[in-house]
Amino acid sequence: MGLFSRIKNMFSSKEEEIDEELDEEVEDEEEEELEEEQEEVENTEEVESVEENYEVEETVEETEKIEEPKEEVVEEELKEEVQKIDKKAEKKARKEAKKKEKEQKKLEEVRIYEKGLTKSREGFVSRLANLTNKYKKITDDYFDELEEILIMADIGVNTVMSFMDRLRDRVKHEKIESTEELKEIIIDELFIIYVNDAVLVNKINMAEDGPTVVLFVGVNGVGKTTTIAKIASKMKKEGKKVLLVGGDTFRAGAVLQLEDWGKKIGVDFFGKEQGADPASVVFDGLVKAKEENYDVVLIDTAGRLQNKVNLMNELEKINRVIGGQIEGGPHETLLVIDATTGQNGISQAKSFKEITNITGIVLTKLDGTAKGGIVLAIKDEVDIPVKYIGLGEREEDLQVFDIEKYIYGLFKDL
């Protein structure tokens, strides 16, 4: 079984896994209930034994005196039984609610990938399926058309060339003749392009002590400010105290835009007037973050890539300020790229990598392109992991990148 088959089976069996987890939880709860009932039985037996001894030893007159309290004991026992029934009903209701919550949480993320990658699936993947139907046997013409399909999917010329060489080698050594059989191998090899024997880290590197500082870079118009706001909102919901810092003092309205987002999502903002020195804004923002015990600081920066020297100097200065204020900072430098720009986005990644130390990529608007292969091209050509992908307008559509969900969402219909 290939990698893709295992991924497909994994997601299609999610509901079974959820049921198994819930069964285990129910068994644990039932064991706890049995232990409680056993304790109650033992306590009851002790009480009954004491009562029997008491009745034998006491006179008839004394027995008559306790008849009324006995009725109260019976009423009390009935109340306890009702409470037990209510408790069991409550546990059952909790179990059902928990089941629905787990199902929704685990399956909703997969559905977001499926929906967000619809255009890519209908474009790139449908062409791949048509190619398999057109050629039953593997030929040079088949390879030529496959190469064109991959390039059109924005996987990138260099990546496609090395991919095709590997694919031809596998076909030769494994003596594969059927295009149907090769179809899954193609998906497996695309998966391997991204993984490339590396340990994939898609989580934000959080500081062990003090505020975690995340620097955002990227050209104007890629959705950088909106991305910062969505990540800030997610972190706030996780219980973190978040501060937004408006370091893009060059673009008109950038500071106000981020401040407005802060008000909308209920997150604090620090900024100065347009034209202020970005490094001084960052410095004062970090002082505030330390004094007021913020958990996370998200910093916006200018995206003047057309003036590389000035931008490089500005980012170097900001990095020095952060490093001087926060040990180990910035803990992440995320480059925001618009997926619909295709190969231009890869050029941006290469340029920013020359300017500063990029630790991860946020790929926005992936739902708006039929060329979803850019994810693979970026990782292969600049060797920077994708940490978030934007699959829609909603906050929940900004997902922590998961290569398995991506591969499944892209090729599920193949």
Side-chain angles (χ1 to χ4, degrees), residues 155 159 162-163 166 188-196 376-377 379-380:
I155 292 178
T159 305
S162 65
F163 169 83
R166 277 205 314 274
D188 289 352
E189 286 293 336
L190 291 173
F191 180 89
I192 290 166
I193 284 176
Y194 189 88
V195 177
N196 195 26
L376 304 172
K379 177 65 168 59
D380 186 58

Side-chain angles (χ1 to χ4, degrees), residues 197-348:
D197 294 327
V199 177
L200 300 180
V201 179
N202 56 6
K203 293 181 180 178
I204 296 294
N205 176 33
M206 302 298 290
E208 292 182 5
D209 186 37
T212 296
V213 181
V214 183
L215 194 65
F216 288 83
V217 299
V219 300
N220 297 331
V222 295
K224 184 155 48 81
T225 309
T226 307
T227 296
I228 293 170
K230 286 180 179 179
I231 292 175
S233 182
K234 284 177 182 287
M235 289 182 167
K236 183 194 171 190
K237 287 173 182 175
E238 291 170 2
K240 294 180 176 64
K241 187 178 180 183
V242 182
L243 178 66
L244 304 180
V245 175
D248 183 0
T249 58
F250 179 78
R251 180 170 66 88
V255 175
L256 286 174
Q257 186 184 3
L258 192 62
E259 185 176 12
D260 286 343
W261 267 115
K263 290 174 183 175
K264 283 180 187 175
I265 61 177
V267 167
D268 292 338
F269 168 82
F270 180 84
K272 295 182 181 179
E273 69 282 353
Q274 184 181 337
D277 177 28
S280 73
V281 175
V282 171
F283 180 89
D284 292 342
L286 293 176
V287 169
K288 175 183 173 68
K290 289 194 296 182
E291 287 177 350
E292 299 180 24
N293 296 316
Y294 282 87
D295 299 310
V296 183
V297 182
L298 306 180
I299 303 173
D300 189 16
T301 62
R304 296 171 291 162
L305 190 57
Q306 66 273 20
N307 195 330
K308 242 188 213 185
V309 175
N310 286 355
L311 182 58
M312 182 167 64
N313 292 338
E314 184 178 295
L315 289 174
E316 280 180 357
K317 190 175 178 182
I318 289 173
N319 276 309
R320 282 198 306 272
V321 166
I322 295 171
Q325 282 289 312
I326 307 291
E327 186 178 352
H331 303 93
E332 292 279 0
T333 300
L334 301 181
L335 170 62
V336 184
I337 294 176
D338 180 348
T340 63
T341 60
Q343 291 300 304
N344 187 36
I346 295 172
S347 298
Q348 290 170 25

Side-chain angles (χ1 to χ4, degrees), residues 86-115:
D86 289 343
K87 191 176 179 182
K88 286 180 180 178
E90 187 183 341
K91 281 185 178 180
K92 186 177 180 182
R94 278 206 312 268
K95 177 225 170 183
E96 290 299 324
K98 194 180 287 186
K99 180 177 181 180
K100 286 180 182 177
E101 186 182 344
K102 284 195 173 186
E103 284 175 350
Q104 288 171 354
K105 188 176 180 181
K106 288 192 174 184
L107 298 176
E108 179 62 25
E109 290 180 359
V110 178
R111 292 194 192 105
I112 288 171
Y113 271 83
E114 287 179 24
K115 183 181 176 184

Side-chain angles (χ1 to χ4, degrees), residues 79-195:
K79 284 181 183 177
E80 287 176 3
E81 287 299 322
V82 170
Q83 286 174 353
K84 282 182 190 175
I85 293 168
D86 289 343
K87 191 176 179 182
K88 286 180 180 178
E90 187 183 341
K91 281 185 178 180
K92 186 177 180 182
R94 278 206 312 268
K95 177 225 170 183
E96 290 299 324
K98 194 180 287 186
K99 180 177 181 180
K100 286 180 182 177
E101 186 182 344
K102 284 195 173 186
E103 284 175 350
Q104 288 171 354
K105 188 176 180 181
K106 288 192 174 184
L107 298 176
E108 179 62 25
E109 290 180 359
V110 178
R111 292 194 192 105
I112 288 171
Y113 271 83
E114 287 179 24
K115 183 181 176 184
L117 293 168
T118 299
K119 284 188 177 180
S120 290
R121 196 163 57 245
E122 290 175 351
F124 165 46
V125 178
S126 64
R127 291 185 70 192
L128 196 57
N130 291 337
L131 181 66
T132 303
N133 293 331
K134 181 179 177 181
Y135 295 94
K136 298 301 177 186
K137 297 285 184 182
I138 298 169
T139 64
D140 287 338
D141 288 339
Y142 168 84
F143 276 129
D144 289 342
E145 289 191 38
L146 174 61
E147 187 177 297
E148 182 184 345
I149 289 170
L150 295 172
I151 291 172
M152 290 297 292
D154 263 339
I155 292 178
V157 176
N158 295 334
T159 305
V160 171
M161 292 299 104
S162 65
F163 169 83
M164 293 302 298
D165 288 341
R166 277 205 314 274
L167 196 64
R168 284 189 172 94
D169 285 342
R170 281 195 69 172
V171 168
K172 182 179 178 181
H173 288 103
E174 296 176 30
K175 297 186 168 83
I176 301 167
E177 296 181 356
S178 165
T179 57
E180 186 65 34
E181 186 181 349
L182 188 62
K183 189 168 63 177
E184 184 159 327
I185 292 173
I186 290 169
I187 301 170
D188 289 352
E189 286 293 336
L190 291 173
F191 180 89
I192 290 166
I193 284 176
Y194 189 88
V195 177

